[in-house]
Amino acid sequence: MNLKLLRCFTVVADELHFGRAARRLNILPSSLSRNISLLEKELGLKLLSRTTREVTLTRSGHLLQREARSLLAHVDEVADRVRDSAASEERVFRIGAMDSAATGLIPQLVHDFRELAPDLELFLMEDKSAKLLPRLLTGALDIAIVRPPMSPQPAIHFDHLLEEPTIVALPSGHPLTGQGHLRIRDLEDVPLILPSPRTRPHSYNLTMQLFLSASLQPRIQQQAEEKQTIINMVGAEIGAAIVPYWYSRNAVQGVEYRPLVDDAGRPIRELPLAAAWVKGSHDHYRDELMNLLKSNLERYSH
C-alpha cells in the first residue's frame, strides 16, 4: 500500500473537507482528489462518499482510518529508531531555514553548534516554510526554522522563538527616507510590492492587516514570490515593500530601510519564527541545538 496515498487519506478522513486537507498537506485539492482516487483503485474499495455539500467516510473508510493511524505511527516509529541508531560519526544533522532565519539566526547558531559537536556533519537547506515542513515529515530534515503555518499541522511540533520586527524597504532618494521611522499611514499613497499570498502568507497578510487596521487601502503595484526579487524591484524604483527586519542585512544598491512603528512609536513585531520538528521524535543533537538557540536567542537575533 502506498504510504503517501495513505497519509493523504488520513488527513482527508480527519478533516472531511478536501480544501482544508489540501492546505494541511500543502498540495492542490485536485492533486489530493487524484491521490484518493488512486488509493481507492489500489484497494478496489470506495472509501469516501462525496457530494457538493459534504464528505463522509464509508464503512471501509472508517476501518481504514483506524488501521492507517496505527500503521503510519509504526512506520514513523521505525524511521525514528533507524535514525537514532546511526553512529554519531556517521550522522548528518539536517537543518532547514526560511530566508529570514537563514540570514539572521542560522550563521551564528551554526558557528556555535559546530564548537559543541565538531565531528557532526551539518546539512543546511534554505527554502520557504511551506516547502520545508513536508521535508520534516519525510525525514529529509531534522529541524526547521519557519513561520508557523496558519492551518493546523497535527504531526509537527512548533516551538515559538520570537516575533520578527518589520521594516520598510524604500528606493534611495525617496522622500520617506528623510524620516527616522515610518508609520503605516505614511505609506498610504506609496506604490507597494507585496509577496505572493500563496507562498508567503504571513508577510502578505501582515501588510494587508496593517492597512486594514488603519482604515487604509494599500496601493499594490506589484507582487513577487522571492525576497531578492522584491528588494531588487525596490532598488529599481518600482515601489516600496514592508519586509522582515533581517532583509536589511542584504545590502542592495539603491535600497534604504526604515523601521515600521505603531502610533506609540513601538516597533511592529508580528512575523513569528518557530523551530519545528516531527511530534514524538527524539534526537539529542536537536535538543542540544535548541538549548543553544534558546540560551543565545537575544544575541543571535541582534
Side-chain angles (χ1 to χ4, degrees):
M1 190 181 300
N2 187 306
L3 291 179
K4 175 186 174 182
L5 302 182
L6 197 58
R7 290 187 189 277
C8 288
F9 167 75
T10 58
V11 175
V12 174
D14 288 342
E15 295 287 348
L16 293 179
H17 189 284
F18 272 76
R20 290 194 298 268
R23 286 193 292 272
R24 276 180 54 183
L25 293 163
N26 292 306
I27 62 175
L28 294 173
S30 58
S31 297
L32 178 57
S33 181
R34 183 165 57 252
N35 287 342
I36 298 301
S37 295
L38 287 172
L39 181 61
E40 290 179 327
K41 183 176 180 181
E42 180 180 332
L43 295 174
L45 296 168
K46 186 173 178 60
L47 302 172
L48 299 169
S49 295
R50 283 177 271 182
T51 69
T52 56
R53 301 187 62 178
E54 64 178 358
V55 177
T56 58
L57 292 169
T58 65
R59 183 175 180 181
S60 297
H62 278 293
L63 176 60
L64 182 61
Q65 182 188 32
R66 291 195 300 271
E67 298 296 331
R69 283 175 175 158
S70 175
L71 174 62
L72 292 173
H74 179 67
V75 169
D76 292 339
E77 182 182 350
V78 170
D80 286 341
R81 287 205 302 266
V82 171
R83 285 194 290 266
D84 291 343
S85 68
S88 60
E89 62 271 17
E90 299 175 350
R91 177 70 192 275
V92 177
F93 188 75
R94 297 150 301 181
I95 305 172
M98 53 92 59
D99 50 21
S100 281
T103 303
L105 291 178
I106 291 297
Q108 190 61 49
L109 174 62
V110 168
H111 173 272
D112 293 350
F113 191 53
R114 284 190 179 279
E115 293 185 351
L116 283 180
D119 298 326
L120 182 65
E121 181 181 350
L122 295 181
F123 171 79
L124 303 176
M125 174 183 291
E126 180 182 350
D127 211 330
K128 300 179 182 69
S129 298
K131 292 186 177 180
L132 293 173
L133 294 176
R135 292 187 172 104
L136 288 173
L137 296 175
T138 63
L141 291 174
D142 298 295
I143 191 170
I145 311 299
V146 298
R147 300 249 188 262
M150 297 174 181
S151 57
Q153 298 277 325
I156 298 178
H157 171 79
F158 293 94
D159 194 329
H160 182 268
L161 297 174
L162 55 84
E163 297 287 335
E164 190 176 353
T166 305
I167 59 176
V168 181
L170 295 162
S172 295
H174 191 282
L176 290 178
T177 60
Q179 299 182 205
H181 55 257
L182 299 173
R183 293 178 170 83
I184 199 66
R185 63 175 175 269
D186 296 323
L187 304 176
E188 181 178 6
D189 297 319
V190 176
L192 293 178
I193 305 164
L194 265 63
S196 165
R198 182 178 61 85
T199 57
R200 298 183 184 275
H202 278 285
S203 295
Y204 176 86
N205 288 339
L206 170 63
T207 299
M208 301 304 291
Q209 186 58 46
L210 286 172
F211 276 86
L212 179 63
S213 297
S215 300
L216 299 174
Q217 184 70 28
R219 183 180 164 191
I220 301 173
Q221 183 79 356
Q222 181 67 49
Q223 286 190 7
E225 288 199 5
E226 299 301 330
K227 169 190 68 176
Q228 198 60 47
T229 302
I230 292 173
I231 297 302
N232 288 340
M233 285 183 173
V234 174
E237 300 184 357
I238 294 173
I242 297 175
V243 297
Y245 164 75
W246 276 314
Y247 279 36
S248 63
R249 295 194 179 186
N250 295 312
V252 175
Q253 185 174 2
V255 178
E256 297 185 33
Y257 300 94
R258 295 293 181 270
L260 186 64
V261 300
D262 61 20
D263 287 338
R266 297 169 298 202
I268 292 177
R269 295 174 176 266
E270 295 188 24
L271 289 171
L273 275 182
W277 58 84
V278 175
K279 277 185 181 177
S281 62
H282 302 283
D283 188 318
H284 73 278
Y285 285 123
R286 186 189 69 215
D287 293 341
E288 287 187 9
L289 183 80
M290 285 300 299
N291 288 335
L292 181 65
L293 178 55
K294 287 294 188 74
S295 299
N296 295 276
L297 187 56
E298 184 174 355
R299 176 166 64 91
Y300 293 163
S301 63
H302 285 81

